[in-house]
Amino acid sequence: MATSASATARAGVLREAIELHNYRYYVLDAPEIPDAEYDRLFRELQQLELQYPELLTADSPTQRVGGAPLPEFEEVQHAVPMLSLNNAFDEDEVRAFDRRVHEALGVAQADGVGYAAELKLDGLAVSLLYENGVFVRGATRGDGVNGENVTANLRTIRTIPLRLAGPDVPERIDVRGEVLILKTDFKKLNHHQRDKGEKEFVNPRNAAAGALRQLDSRITASRPLAFFAYGVGVLEGVSAPRTHGMLLDYLARLRFPVNQERRVVRGVEGMLDYYRTVGSHRAALPCDIDGVVYKVNDLAAQRELGYVARAPRFAIAHKFPAEEALSVVQAIEVQVGRTGALTPVARLKPVFVGGVTVTNATLHNLDQVRAKDVREGDTVYVRRAGDVIPEVARVLTEHRPAHTSMPQFEMPVRCPVCGSRVERVESEAVYRCTGGLYCPAQRKQALLHFASRRAMDIEGLGEKIVDQLVDNDIVRTPADLYKLGLAALAGLERMAEKSAGNVRAAIDRSRRTTLARFIFALGIYHVGEEIAKLLAAHFGSVQAVMAADWEALIAEKERVQKENARRTRKGETLLEPVLPGVGPEIMRSAGHFFAQTHNREVIEQLLAAGVAPETLPQRQASAGALSGKTFVLTGTLPTLTRDEAKARIEAKGGKVSGSVSKKSHYVVAGEDAGSKLTKAQELGVAVLDEKGLTDLLGQ
Ligand code: IVH
């Protein structure tokens, strides 16, 4: 069946429309139709091509998805060689370049040559050949004379036009430009790699290079490649533009993506000004660059200057300091931040990167260390972009001896600064020192929190004072604040006599406070204002909080929670919850805090210094003869089952706990009572048999 003329025409219309919308979407970032409409056009074209396979052409937008793998790349010869650029590493070299240009062109220095200044994109150079407006061949630079035919791969890049449109389509054009991956796309790509459990890419450039050299173009299609045009090799069938700037304008009209950070400048000061401007916002640019390029703007002047060896005399690359460099990890240490968070840090063999010498690089957290598998002795890529903290970007595992004896990095169990227990925050990648008030690394933070308005409310004790007090080792813990003499305060920098007196008075005033504020002020992890209020209401006094058996409380809390869950299902009446509103996680955190001797010491010192949180009457757990009493059941009782015994104790307001501690009031022991009985005897807890229990219940 002959292809109907209308189908041919329709396919042409669809291709043109799709390419236009592609251009608006990917290059201009200004789509004018909804995605769904675009998809509809696309599907219609796919349908047509399926129905009339003879309509299918290589330049159809449906062919961007990649095709069957190639056995190898074909070698192609560039009609015009792809040369490289000479580099300038400092201002003097740029000035020397400018002088040479002026001399060769016979232009007076004062007149200043016009230069096209643009970004030196950090990707891979490619050549795109179009004949009568159709993309026929794309190639890598290779050795400059011969490259590899990567047409199928380049076709998958949405921003590369497959067919040129407009009034001045040339007969033949060889567009030169850079293939790269934008920083945001690179982050997403690596995120994906991580999710799939696959190796992450070292940097956007490597990822782009890998994608471009895939024999299977379907893989290339799945990688977010971008393209920017910066020049032409061959140009036939149209009158050549007069300047490089106009040439780029022309390419943009043909719908090639041209980077907009370009400018035409005059003389050496113009070039250096451009360099500094670009350098100042390098980190904020959407893609990696390794410098800027200056090209004599006038194309006739370019021809006059010509080439020397394999680089043009009319252009030069002015390089920025590299943002990545190789170094060796000499040790992995752990730093403790102001909030107690532990950060692994790599001590590095000094390396010059991003314009400075770097000796330390952050590894962020344990997950990152594991993901990157960084070990001592490893050769690593160090990255420092803009003002950001230097980081270890990647390990060169191929440089690690196959049988390295270096173990995987482990987080310490004790804080390297104060020796307190380190705790991993569930659901966070962060490990934290539990030292709180005591840990020197956390001192300033802890003191500021202690003095803050919602805590002890010590007006005037701000950051500047705390910094000096801690740095000069005048104050270590909050208790030390109450020993501060007026002289010590007045001796601080920028502290007038009057404000020293005010601070002193504010410290004195803070002695009288509420128990909730006091508990909140301690800076217990997870214990915010609301939880502090609940704890204060429950315990009533500092002494009661300190004396609490947190382990037993947690065990009880969890038992009641479980039991109540069961009762809810069964529709039975619920037991009274333990410390309502305070979850086991928070209780554990409080338990850790009060278990640390140094924390207890600070509290004792605070009390000794006259800090007097108000004592509230202790909340009655529940009415009943056994209210407030804790029982532990063990062994088999002669008549009562364990559940019955428990129910009867609870009916009288008593509590049943699963473990014996010195806070237990009674252990009820039956036959075959085991370790719980022994423990009760050791701790001197009263032991009852069934008779003793029923007597107590009968009271
Ligand atoms: S012009 C004859 N312009 O730098 C001049 N090159 O060392 C040919 N590059 O392989 C290059 N951005 O990959 C030019 N705006 C730019 C560039 C640029 C990056 C790369 C290109 C080339 C290398 C030259």
Short mmCIF file of all heavy atoms in Angstrom, two decimals, residues 83-85 118-121 124-125 141 178 230 293 295 312, ligand 1:
data_model
loop_
_atom_site.label_atom_id
_atom_site.label_comp_id
_atom_site.label_asym_id
_atom_site.label_seq_id
_atom_site.Cartn_x
_atom_site.Cartn_y
_atom_site.Cartn_z
N LEU A 83 40.67 21.56 17.26
CA LEU A 83 41.90 21.92 17.97
C LEU A 83 41.63 22.15 19.44
O LEU A 83 40.49 22.15 19.89
CB LEU A 83 42.49 23.17 17.32
CG LEU A 83 42.77 23.01 15.83
CD1 LEU A 83 43.33 24.29 15.27
CD2 LEU A 83 43.75 21.86 15.59
N SER A 84 42.73 22.34 20.17
CA SER A 84 42.54 22.66 21.58
C SER A 84 42.97 24.10 21.81
O SER A 84 43.41 24.79 20.90
CB SER A 84 43.31 21.69 22.46
OG SER A 84 44.67 21.80 22.16
N LEU A 85 42.83 24.55 23.04
CA LEU A 85 43.14 25.94 23.37
C LEU A 85 44.39 26.00 24.21
O LEU A 85 44.65 25.11 25.02
CB LEU A 85 41.99 26.55 24.17
CG LEU A 85 40.66 26.76 23.46
CD1 LEU A 85 39.56 27.02 24.48
CD2 LEU A 85 40.77 27.91 22.47
N GLU A 118 33.50 33.84 26.86
CA GLU A 118 32.47 32.86 27.20
C GLU A 118 32.99 31.85 28.21
O GLU A 118 34.17 31.87 28.55
CB GLU A 118 31.96 32.15 25.93
CG GLU A 118 33.05 31.53 25.10
CD GLU A 118 32.59 31.27 23.64
OE1 GLU A 118 32.10 32.20 23.00
OE2 GLU A 118 32.77 30.13 23.19
N LEU A 119 32.11 31.02 28.70
CA LEU A 119 32.50 30.04 29.72
C LEU A 119 33.31 28.92 29.07
O LEU A 119 33.05 28.53 27.94
CB LEU A 119 31.26 29.42 30.37
CG LEU A 119 30.27 30.38 31.02
CD1 LEU A 119 29.12 29.59 31.63
CD2 LEU A 119 30.97 31.23 32.08
N LYS A 120 34.29 28.41 29.81
CA LYS A 120 34.95 27.19 29.36
C LYS A 120 34.23 26.04 30.05
O LYS A 120 34.46 25.75 31.23
CB LYS A 120 36.44 27.18 29.71
CG LYS A 120 37.14 25.98 29.09
CD LYS A 120 38.64 26.11 29.14
CE LYS A 120 39.31 25.04 28.28
NZ LYS A 120 38.96 23.67 28.65
N LEU A 121 33.32 25.45 29.33
CA LEU A 121 32.47 24.40 29.88
C LEU A 121 33.28 23.14 30.11
O LEU A 121 34.09 22.75 29.27
CB LEU A 121 31.31 24.13 28.93
CG LEU A 121 30.49 25.38 28.57
CD1 LEU A 121 29.63 25.13 27.34
CD2 LEU A 121 29.65 25.80 29.75
N LEU A 124 32.67 17.48 27.26
CA LEU A 124 33.40 16.85 26.16
C LEU A 124 33.04 17.53 24.86
O LEU A 124 31.86 17.80 24.60
CB LEU A 124 33.00 15.38 26.04
CG LEU A 124 33.29 14.60 27.29
CD1 LEU A 124 31.99 14.26 27.96
CD2 LEU A 124 34.08 13.38 26.96
N ALA A 125 34.08 17.80 24.05
CA ALA A 125 33.85 18.47 22.79
C ALA A 125 33.25 17.49 21.79
O ALA A 125 33.69 16.34 21.70
CB ALA A 125 35.16 19.03 22.25
N ARG A 141 35.70 14.37 19.78
CA ARG A 141 36.87 15.06 19.27
C ARG A 141 37.98 14.08 18.89
O ARG A 141 38.70 14.27 17.92
CB ARG A 141 37.35 16.03 20.35
CG ARG A 141 38.61 16.71 19.99
CD ARG A 141 38.89 17.87 20.92
NE ARG A 141 40.23 18.34 20.64
CZ ARG A 141 41.22 18.35 21.51
NH1 ARG A 141 40.99 17.95 22.74
NH2 ARG A 141 42.41 18.76 21.18
N GLU A 178 29.96 21.56 23.46
CA GLU A 178 30.33 20.73 24.61
C GLU A 178 29.13 19.93 25.09
O GLU A 178 28.04 20.48 25.25
CB GLU A 178 30.82 21.68 25.73
CG GLU A 178 31.73 21.04 26.74
CD GLU A 178 33.19 20.98 26.32
OE1 GLU A 178 33.50 21.26 25.13
OE2 GLU A 178 34.01 20.64 27.18
N TYR A 230 29.50 26.28 20.82
CA TYR A 230 30.41 27.42 20.99
C TYR A 230 31.20 27.76 19.72
O TYR A 230 32.07 28.63 19.77
CB TYR A 230 31.35 27.24 22.16
CG TYR A 230 32.16 25.96 22.16
CD1 TYR A 230 33.08 25.69 21.15
CD2 TYR A 230 32.01 25.03 23.18
CE1 TYR A 230 33.82 24.52 21.15
CE2 TYR A 230 32.75 23.86 23.20
CZ TYR A 230 33.65 23.62 22.18
OH TYR A 230 34.38 22.46 22.19
N VAL A 293 36.86 31.47 28.26
CA VAL A 293 37.59 31.48 26.99
C VAL A 293 37.44 32.86 26.37
O VAL A 293 36.35 33.43 26.39
CB VAL A 293 37.03 30.42 26.02
CG1 VAL A 293 37.87 30.37 24.73
CG2 VAL A 293 36.99 29.04 26.67
N LYS A 295 38.00 34.86 22.77
CA LYS A 295 38.26 34.66 21.34
C LYS A 295 38.20 36.02 20.66
O LYS A 295 37.26 36.80 20.92
CB LYS A 295 37.19 33.76 20.73
CG LYS A 295 37.11 32.38 21.38
CD LYS A 295 35.87 31.61 20.94
CE LYS A 295 35.82 30.26 21.65
NZ LYS A 295 34.56 29.54 21.44
N PRO A 312 44.64 27.64 18.27
CA PRO A 312 44.50 28.92 17.58
C PRO A 312 45.28 30.02 18.30
O PRO A 312 45.42 29.99 19.51
CB PRO A 312 43.00 29.20 17.66
CG PRO A 312 42.51 28.43 18.84
CD PRO A 312 43.41 27.25 18.99
S1 IVH B 1 36.68 26.78 21.52
C1 IVH B 1 39.75 26.23 18.33
N1 IVH B 1 35.04 27.39 23.47
O1 IVH B 1 37.99 23.35 25.68
C2 IVH B 1 39.03 26.45 19.58
N2 IVH B 1 36.26 25.39 23.66
O2 IVH B 1 41.06 23.12 25.07
C3 IVH B 1 38.27 25.27 19.96
N3 IVH B 1 35.77 24.11 25.67
O3 IVH B 1 38.19 20.67 23.51
C4 IVH B 1 37.61 25.32 21.27
N4 IVH B 1 34.25 25.48 26.48
O4 IVH B 1 36.07 20.90 24.75
C5 IVH B 1 35.92 26.51 23.01
N5 IVH B 1 33.50 28.06 25.07
C6 IVH B 1 34.39 27.18 24.62
C7 IVH B 1 34.71 26.00 25.32
C8 IVH B 1 35.66 25.14 24.80
C9 IVH B 1 34.90 24.33 26.66
C10 IVH B 1 36.68 22.96 25.61
C11 IVH B 1 36.53 22.16 24.35
C12 IVH B 1 37.90 21.99 23.81
C13 IVH B 1 38.78 22.48 24.90
C14 IVH B 1 39.94 23.24 24.30
#
